[in-house]
Amino acid sequence: MTKPKTPPKPKRPKRLSAKQLKEDIEFYLALKAMPPDKLGTLAPILEEATASYEKMLALQKEAARAEEALAAAKKELHESHIAMAEARIADILNSGPNDYLDDDELEHPDGTPAASRPPTLH
C-alpha cells in the first residue's frame, strides 16, 4: 500500500517593501483622483482597492492601539517591579539587626546547635 501524497503547501505571498507599498498607495491615490468617466474598466478594480485600502488603514490603527497597550503594560510591569524592590529594601532597612536569622544561626535538622557546626560559606 502506497502512502497518499500530501498536497503541497500554498506559497505565502511575498511581503512588500516599504518603498513598494508607498508607491502602490501613491498610484492608488492617483487613480482615485481621476474622474469616473476616465476610469472605464478600472472602476471595479478601484472599488476593490478602496476596500482593501480602508481595511489596511483600520488595521494600522488597531496595530497602533495594540502597541500603545503593550507599552503601557510594560511600563506598569516595570513600575510594579520597582515598587516590589523598594518595598523589600524598605523592609530590610527598617528591620533591626536581630530581626532575621542567618543560615548559620538556624538549628540543624539533626538537632545540633549552630555554634557546634562549622560556618557555611556562601
Side-chain angles (χ1 to χ4, degrees), residues 59-79:
L59 290 172
Q60 284 178 339
K61 286 180 184 177
E62 186 179 328
R65 275 189 245 119
E67 288 174 0
E68 288 172 6
L70 177 63
K74 283 183 176 180
K75 181 180 178 184
E76 188 176 338
L77 175 66
H78 175 73
E79 289 171 353

Side-chain angles (χ1 to χ4, degrees), residues 6-120:
T6 58
K9 293 182 180 179
K11 291 184 178 180
R12 298 173 103 190
K14 290 184 179 178
R15 293 188 68 155
L16 294 176
S17 67
K19 181 181 176 186
Q20 290 171 320
L21 182 61
K22 182 181 176 190
E23 290 172 355
D24 287 351
I25 290 173
E26 288 173 357
F27 181 72
Y28 161 75
L29 294 174
L31 278 178
K32 192 172 178 183
M34 289 177 62
D37 57 324
K38 288 198 173 196
L39 285 174
T41 58
L42 292 177
I45 296 171
L46 185 61
E47 289 176 15
E48 292 176 15
T50 300
S52 295
Y53 181 71
E54 290 171 354
K55 183 178 178 181
M56 180 192 71
L57 292 178
L59 290 172
Q60 284 178 339
K61 286 180 184 177
E62 186 179 328
R65 275 189 245 119
E67 288 174 0
E68 288 172 6
L70 177 63
K74 283 183 176 180
K75 181 180 178 184
E76 188 176 338
L77 175 66
H78 175 73
E79 289 171 353
S80 67
H81 281 144
I82 295 297
M84 287 173 43
E86 288 175 349
R88 179 67 179 130
I89 291 169
D91 185 43
I92 290 171
L93 293 176
N94 291 332
S95 65
N98 295 324
D99 286 350
Y100 55 91
L101 296 174
D102 189 12
D103 290 343
D104 293 334
E105 297 173 6
L106 297 175
E107 186 174 311
H108 196 270
D110 67 4
T112 58
S116 66
R117 291 191 318 264
T120 305

